[in-house]
Amino acid sequence: MTRPSALNVKNISKHYQDGSRQIDVIRDLSFSVAAGESLSVTGPSGSGKSTLLNLLAGLLELDGGDMTLELKDKTFSYRTADERSRTALRRQHIGYVYQFFNLVPTLTVLENVRLPARLNQQRELERHAATLLGEFGLSDRLHDFPETLSGGEQQRVAVARALLLKPPLLLADEPTGNLDAENSNHVADLLFSSCREQNISLVLATHSTEVAAMADTRLHLDTQSP
């Protein structure tokens, strides 16, 4: 049985101006991702992978087309949303995993994972943070600071933080790009399995053919011709 799409991207475009010249980064792109399914985005540097993720995160405005995300009580349209609405969407409904972890160095592991719940005033989810870290094999690191963790441990903390709010959409920008092969496989397995089990749509940009192959669907972007 086919699942309904949670994320729908329809004929989107994004360009930048270089003096009088327009540089098309994304042109007339369409795809959809169902709840609990994953899409890997591959392509050479400059092909628009990070731009696409930033559009999906609401960090950039569309120049054409539209994207919609199914929330519990409504359908969110990126095209008609102002900056304040996109910021609220990003904070409340989108998880983000970065290549270089982006953990807050002055917060402990537990405090880092609790942070999204605290910002959104969801106390019940704050209490779930320790349980989630236990599932990720980090029960003994709750009160340690990020600098004392290995790269693989830091990325597991980052994935747990992104998953805490159980967002409908999780974005991952080269989440294994800074890890060795063993840790890369471990983090990728956690990311894909957690999103599948929690019915979260995952869009992941990667240069790794092995990680890309783990996704339900693959999207390859080519550098746009001038």
Side-chain angles (χ1 to χ4, degrees):
M1 178 174 155
T2 302
R3 301 186 190 184
S5 296
L7 173 68
N8 289 285
V9 175
K10 299 178 181 178
N11 306 115
I12 65 167
S13 62
K14 182 64 184 176
H15 63 260
Y16 298 102
Q17 289 296 135
D18 182 13
S20 61
R21 186 166 66 107
Q22 176 176 299
I23 301 173
D24 293 315
V25 182
I26 293 175
R27 184 189 300 163
D28 198 29
L29 177 65
S30 298
F31 62 85
S32 61
V33 185
E37 295 190 349
S38 55
L39 171 75
S40 62
V41 184
T42 59
S45 297
S47 61
K49 298 188 300 298
S50 293
T51 297
L52 175 59
L53 292 190
N54 286 335
L55 286 168
L56 290 170
L59 291 166
L60 297 175
E61 290 188 59
L62 291 166
D63 291 321
D66 194 13
M67 306 184 299
T68 58
L69 180 63
E70 296 299 324
L71 306 178
K72 288 182 180 179
D73 55 350
K74 66 177 180 179
T75 298
F76 182 92
S77 168
Y78 288 75
R79 184 64 175 173
T80 59
D82 58 19
E83 184 175 352
R84 184 175 180 179
S85 298
R86 295 196 310 272
T87 299
L89 175 79
R90 185 166 58 253
R91 189 180 73 183
Q92 299 169 15
H93 302 293
I94 296 176
Y96 211 122
V97 179
Y98 301 87
Q99 177 178 352
F100 294 103
F101 322 135
N102 278 29
L103 300 177
V104 181
T106 56
L107 298 181
T108 66
V109 166
L110 183 59
E111 290 167 339
N112 264 283
V113 175
R114 281 177 172 170
L115 189 58
R118 181 154 295 182
L119 292 173
N120 286 285
Q121 298 182 345
Q122 297 189 34
R123 298 295 182 184
E124 72 284 355
L125 287 178
E126 279 194 58
R127 292 190 289 271
H128 179 62
T131 302
L132 184 58
L133 283 164
E135 293 170 359
F136 279 23
L138 294 166
S139 293
D140 59 340
R141 307 307 301 266
L142 298 185
H143 305 295
D144 295 335
F145 289 92
E147 65 179 11
T148 69
L149 275 60
S150 68
E153 287 172 329
Q154 289 188 61
Q155 194 62 297
R156 277 184 277 157
V157 174
V159 171
R161 181 181 60 185
L163 289 169
L164 182 66
L165 297 183
K166 299 182 180 179
L169 176 62
L170 194 148
L171 307 173
D173 193 0
E174 295 287 352
T176 64
N178 202 37
L179 304 177
D180 59 37
E182 182 179 355
N183 278 306
S184 175
N185 292 335
H186 191 189
V187 167
D189 284 339
L190 279 173
L191 193 54
F192 282 100
S193 63
S194 296
C195 286
R196 187 166 52 248
E197 290 164 5
Q198 297 185 35
N199 227 28
I200 294 170
S201 298
L202 171 64
V203 179
L204 177 146
T206 182
H207 281 103
S208 168
T209 55
E210 292 82 4
V211 172
M214 297 173 70
D216 297 301
T217 309
R218 296 179 65 171
L219 171 67
H220 184 79
L221 300 179
D222 289 312
T223 306
Q224 297 288 347
S225 301

